[in-house]
Amino acid sequence: MTSIYEKLKYLLRPETVAVIGAAREPHKIGHQVLKNLIEGGFSRNKIFPINPHAESILGLKCYPSVKNVPQPVDMAVIVVPARIVPRVLEDCVEKGVKAVAVISSGFKEIGKAEEEKKLVEIARKGGIRLLGPNIVGICDTVRSMNASFCQELPEKGDIAFITQSGALGIALIGWTKLKHIGLSDLVSIGNKADVDEVDLIEFFGEDPYTKVITLYLEGISRGREFYAIAKKVSKKKPIIILKAGKAERTISAIKSHTGSLAGSDVAYDAVFKQAGVIRAPTFPDLFDWAIAFSKLPLPSGENVVILTNGGGAGVMATDEAEIRGIKLMDIPPDLADKIREYMPPFGSVYNPIDLTGMATKDWYRGSLEVLLEDPRVHAVLVIYCHTAQTEPRDIGDAILEAIKSIGKSKPVVASFIGGEECHKECERLTAEGVPCYESPERAVVALSALYNYWRFLKHKETYPVALDVDKERAYEIIRRAVEEGRKALTAYESAMVAKAYGIPVPEQALAKSEEEAVNVAEKIGYPLVLSIESPHILHKTEVGGVKVGLNSAEEVAKAYNEIMESVAKRAPQAEIRGVVVRKMIPEGREVIIGMHRDPAIGPLLMFGSGGILVELLKDVSFRVSPLSIEDVYEMIKETKAYKMLKGFRGMPEADIEKVVDVILRTAKLAEDIPEILDIDINPVFVFERGKGCLAADVKVVLK
Ligand code: ACO
């Protein structure tokens, strides 16, 4: 089977390009695309303008149809009005074109989803991969191919940028140029009718010219595939995403803009975390981090040292480091002694190392060399505040000379604070391979992106070995409810499904008569709870359907009859299936375990503080299935509920291992039975270590 790299090579690294709709007038987009291709530096004799009304354009011979081109055509850029696109696409199929980029608008984004589907059908039938429609095109600096109506190619580099917003792509060309950020490619994906971010992440994962993959996305339609591919690729190269569309208001704006529905943001966050994808909140962050990845080696350990000539800047960096989970190394005495040679007696060898405002070029160079030489130091942040003592250029030289003399095996980032000279030096240092930022915090955040990725690469994944579950039993209960056209299971059914999956529930049984209720009660033991079992009664207490704290056979018989009478009166239409006799359980620490099936991403597991205040506390965390055991522990540790389970104020540790087991079993239940939409287990009472937990209330909602 041909790999996605081989297939998309024709789209992103073609040998020959046709422009279908190469217009004669300079203000038209088709004309601009042709001009860009020529001026971008793509070989003139490999460009074929197509226009039935012209002999030649911009000095190139024009063909009435792509079918008339005398050479094979790898890729065609389509820039004709939407209504003509299917026709020219058919021509591409006949010609044997391998890939097309459809710039034309007027499809799904304006409600013409059928027309868009037709394009995909034609392309697929003809073995063509289709990018777009509704895009600005492709800017590829590897082949100097500006197959777009962007004003110019970006600077050459090794960062690939995939954008769902065309206008943003155009704007970012100028912005990245200003900041000297080099790109390997800029690809606009528009409506993503065929080629989407998943394909492109896979392509750039293989692409030898790309070191870092960055994306601007509004929605991900193939969530499961995204998760699998991103996880695979991010083990090879970093993926940084700016995912917009958090706010409800934005969601509708996106709908009208690209016709895509933004998925649930919580699900994205979980996917990104598990797939090792780094989520950037803004464009400056995205590119700050991309530059760090593009220029630097990854650290080999946690010890970071800050070297500064300004105490205040050092404190700012220290604060940010703490927020970002960056470990500042305690400088060992022998290392401190070596560094003292490069500072006045009143300098500080604590971390941040303060060379003081008197710091010279030689001090910076000498102390940095000492740090780079010491194997206990894993990364360095050099901060410089412009003083009359030194020139920014000298300090820049000091950093570059130190790295040159010791070798570039550790990440070194810098922050130069000052005016014009500092700005210029920042740019030079970045270009020379030392990412330099205008504030210490930004440098720390960029370093923390490297660390987060490094930790992801080290992160182990252990998957639970075959959990013992009774899928047939659970499926039988669900099948019956589905056949009855129900949208939810009753409490008893839900508990039985949970039980079939090894999720511990209180001992219980369904009784259909007073006598049966008493017999069951004697078997289970007291105290007990009785509750009505009916698919039509949601709020049992309101119809007198629950009796708690029953301690004898007599109380159970009485409660049974009272429940039946009350329900017959207050819910006469409801179908009654009996009464559930359930053991009352001791209360433990309350947590919630839940599952929601995201339409794009699949089962999303939730853990957090449980009980009636779930919505108010919002102390929950999410992960997507399939879950490794490490994922579950991380998910639990992200919540305050974890601290409660660990025990505080003399409370012993709770049975966290059993909670992990219940989460894994809930995930398996969701994976095994796709008819389930939501599962709510709330509260789960967690007891002391070794004593397990009990799912006090289970709710299963069906699709
Ligand atoms: N094969 C080849 N060329 C043809 C054919 C054909 N079968 N039929 C007509 N043409 C020629 C036309 O003759 C014309 O050339 P001419 O001006 O020399 O006569 C050329 O193709 C273009 O056709 P026009 O009808 O003039 O179309 P126009 O250039 O006005 O618009 C376009 C075409 C740009 C594709 C427009 O329909 C469109 O979709 N614009 C929006 C593009 C866009 O914004 N994309 C999304 C970017 S993302 C963002 O948000 C920025």
Side-chain angles (χ1 to χ4, degrees):
M1 220 174 73
T2 326
S3 73
I4 192 93
Y5 184 77
E6 289 304 318
K7 282 187 192 158
L8 291 191
K9 229 169 58 179
Y10 296 108
L11 181 72
L12 295 152
R13 311 267 185 261
E15 295 285 338
T16 50
V17 179
V19 180
I20 305 180
R24 288 161 292 183
E25 292 163 52
H27 72 272
K28 290 198 175 180
I29 290 184
H31 186 93
Q32 288 156 10
V33 172
L34 183 65
K35 190 160 175 263
N36 278 344
L37 270 168
I38 298 167
E39 290 182 354
F42 202 77
S43 297
R44 280 181 75 89
N45 58 356
K46 308 270 183 194
I47 305 171
F48 308 106
I50 314 294
N51 184 336
H53 309 111
E55 287 296 312
S56 81
I57 306 174
L58 292 166
L60 291 176
K61 178 175 163 48
C62 215
Y63 299 88
S65 158
V66 72
K67 292 187 287 183
N68 305 108
V69 175
Q71 290 186 41
V73 173
D74 284 348
M75 198 267 274
V77 190
I78 299 182
V79 216
V80 291
R83 73 192 138 75
I84 310 178
V85 176
R87 207 186 322 146
V88 300
L89 191 56
E90 295 276 13
D91 291 349
C92 289
V93 172
E94 262 189 64
K95 170 69 185 165
V97 172
K98 307 283 198 319
V100 296
V102 184
I103 288 183
S104 320
S105 301
F107 294 92
K108 197 173 159 198
E109 80 285 0
I110 56 157
K112 298 200 170 178
E114 277 311 306
E115 285 80 346
E116 188 165 303
K117 230 164 101 189
K118 193 168 163 222
L119 294 192
V120 180
E121 276 165 22
I122 299 170
R124 295 235 163 109
K125 202 177 62 203
I128 291 178
R129 292 306 308 256
L130 181 147
L131 182 71
N134 191 30
I135 58 170
V136 286
I138 304 164
C139 294
D140 160 28
T141 66
V142 176
R143 282 192 175 274
S144 302
M145 178 186 78
N146 187 357
S148 78
F149 63 97
C150 293
Q151 64 278 35
E152 57 186 333
L153 276 175
E155 280 186 13
K156 262 189 196 301
D158 53 16
I159 301 169
F161 181 60
I162 301 159
T163 175
Q164 197 173 344
S165 157
L168 210 57
I170 299 178
L172 275 173
I173 299 244
W175 192 80
T176 54
K177 276 213 139 159
L178 197 67
K179 303 266 171 198
H180 304 294
I181 297 166
L183 304 182
S184 56
D185 293 81
L186 183 147
V187 187
S188 156
I189 51 179
N191 294 2
K192 310 192 279 185
D194 175 33
V195 174
D196 63 6
E197 63 280 358
V198 179
D199 296 317
L200 290 169
I201 287 174
E202 200 172 2
F203 174 86
F204 287 118
E206 296 287 315
D207 179 39
Y209 303 97
T210 298
K211 205 168 156 197
V212 188
I213 304 168
T214 61
L215 301 98
Y216 167 80
L217 290 180
E218 288 160 4
I220 297 172
S221 27
R222 293 194 293 145
R224 295 287 270 190
E225 290 89 343
F226 174 89
Y227 180 32
I229 296 293
K231 195 166 181 172
K232 191 177 85 181
V233 172
S234 65
K235 285 183 181 138
K236 285 193 281 188
K237 8 186 129 164
I239 304 171
I240 311 173
I241 290 191
L242 199 165
K243 160 75 186 63
K246 284 190 188 186
E248 288 300 322
R249 232 150 41 95
T250 326
I251 286 172
S252 57
I254 288 166
K255 218 191 215 169
S256 59
H257 183 52
T258 67
S260 112
L261 284 165
S264 132
D265 203 64
V266 161
Y268 287 128
D269 252 344
V271 165
F272 296 161
K273 251 182 230 165
Q274 282 166 267
V277 169
I278 303 147
R279 184 169 191 174
T282 65
F283 271 111
D285 286 308
L286 182 129
F287 286 110
D288 271 2
W289 306 350
I291 289 169
F293 282 110
S294 148
K295 307 274 182 190
L296 297 174
L298 286 177
S300 60
E302 299 274 2
N303 286 338
V304 176
V305 177
I306 300 173
L307 192 61
T308 180
N309 69 341
V315 174
M316 282 150 73
T318 305
D319 285 349
E320 193 65 41
E322 190 170 306
I323 294 167
R324 303 282 164 176
I326 292 231
K327 182 183 166 240
L328 296 189
M329 182 197 195
D330 293 327
I331 308 287
D334 60 313
L335 182 59
D337 285 345
K338 286 186 191 166
I339 292 166
R340 268 197 201 95
E341 289 178 29
Y342 303 101
M343 60 172 62
F346 47 88
S348 168
V349 286
Y350 293 107
N351 196 0
I353 296 170
D354 188 356
L355 302 178
T356 77
M358 286 172 66
T360 62
K361 176 186 172 184
D362 290 345
W363 289 359
Y364 263 104
R365 179 179 167 162
S367 51
L368 182 56
E369 279 179 354
V370 167
L371 293 174
L372 294 178
E373 255 173 349
D374 194 309
R376 293 166 294 186
V377 177
H378 303 121
V380 184
L381 161 60
V382 184
I383 300 173
Y384 166 72
C385 302
H386 194 176
T387 64
Q389 188 79 5
T390 48
E391 284 307 312
R393 176 88 190 182
D394 290 338
I395 305 305
D397 284 342
I399 296 172
L400 295 172
E401 286 164 17
I403 293 172
K404 199 168 169 206
S405 77
I406 308 297
K408 193 177 180 176
S409 61
K410 299 175 189 178
V412 177
V413 292
S415 174
F416 276 37
I417 308 158
E420 185 60 28
E421 294 102 318
C422 276
H423 176 73
K424 277 195 190 133
E425 196 46 31
C426 243
E427 283 189 349
R428 182 179 76 109
L429 276 174
T430 305
E432 298 282 339
V434 179
C436 184
Y437 304 91
E438 276 152 18
S439 79
E441 290 94 337
R442 272 178 63 188
V444 172
V445 176
L447 199 56
S448 79
L450 289 191
Y451 267 103
N452 288 341
Y453 181 61
W454 174 70
R455 288 185 198 116
F456 165 76
L457 293 180
K458 284 201 319 170
H459 167 99
K460 276 198 302 195
E461 280 182 303
T462 330
Y463 286 89
V465 273
L467 296 168
D468 51 320
V469 299
D470 187 348
K471 184 177 166 186
E472 280 70 36
R473 166 103 185 92
Y475 194 72
E476 182 52 31
I477 296 169
I478 285 161
R479 191 188 51 78
R480 216 179 42 216
V482 170
E483 278 172 9
E484 287 173 11
R486 282 195 275 140
K487 290 277 170 227
L489 300 187
T490 64
Y492 181 66
E493 287 170 333
S494 297
M496 291 304 104
V497 166
K499 194 175 169 196
Y501 266 69
I503 296 165
V505 293
E507 212 181 320
Q508 57 198 292
L510 183 64
K512 297 195 172 175
S513 65
E514 177 194 324
E515 195 190 356
E516 215 180 323
V518 170
N519 285 343
V520 168
E522 291 287 304
K523 228 183 273 162
I524 295 176
Y526 302 94
L528 288 165
V529 182
L530 257 60
S531 59
I532 194 77
E533 174 73 356
S534 162
H536 303 125
I537 299 174
L538 272 182
H539 305 290
K540 297 181 195 125
T541 317
E542 283 173 18
V543 293
V546 183
K547 297 277 173 193
V548 300
L550 308 172
N551 281 306
S552 65
E554 293 72 37
E555 281 179 24
V556 168
K558 187 166 169 264
Y560 181 90
N561 291 317
E562 281 175 3
I563 285 177
M564 285 306 189
E565 270 170 39
S566 170
V567 172
K569 224 184 278 162
R570 290 154 84 175
Q573 311 297 334
E575 180 201 330
I576 305 304
R577 297 193 172 173
V579 164
V580 179
V581 180
R582 196 181 65 182
K583 180 102 176 169
M584 273 187 80
I585 52 173
E587 291 192 5
R589 277 166 262 186
E590 292 184 17
V591 298
I592 181 167
I593 292 170
M595 187 284 299
H596 169 71
R597 195 180 301 276
D598 182 271
I601 287 160
L604 187 65
L605 276 298
M606 183 180 88
F607 169 81
S609 297
I612 51 168
L613 299 181
V614 169
E615 321 264 304
L616 191 72
L617 296 174
K618 290 200 171 87
D619 173 38
V620 286
S621 67
F622 293 87
R623 289 292 185 280
V624 288
S625 176
L627 292 169
S628 69
I629 294 168
E630 290 79 6
D631 286 333
V632 181
Y633 273 101
E634 276 176 22
M635 165 184 189
I636 294 175
K637 283 180 184 166
E638 276 173 18
T639 63
K640 293 197 183 82
Y642 172 67
K643 293 196 183 80
M644 179 185 63
L645 294 180
K646 278 302 275 185
F648 66 105
R649 297 196 168 204
M651 221 188 247
E653 188 172 325
D655 205 333
I656 298 174
E657 273 158 51
K658 195 65 205 171
V659 173
V660 171
D661 183 64
V662 171
I663 295 174
L664 290 169
R665 287 171 184 279
T666 309
K668 177 153 178 63
L669 174 57
E671 286 288 348
D672 284 354
I673 307 182
E675 286 83 351
I676 299 177
L677 181 66
D678 286 339
I679 303 170
D680 243 8
I681 315 179
N682 184 37
V684 178
F685 288 128
V686 191
F687 309 112
E688 277 176 38
R689 227 175 144 186
K691 297 196 173 157
C693 64
L694 272 175
D697 193 5
V698 186
K699 266 197 201 86
V700 174
V701 178
L702 304 173
K703 270 190 187 169

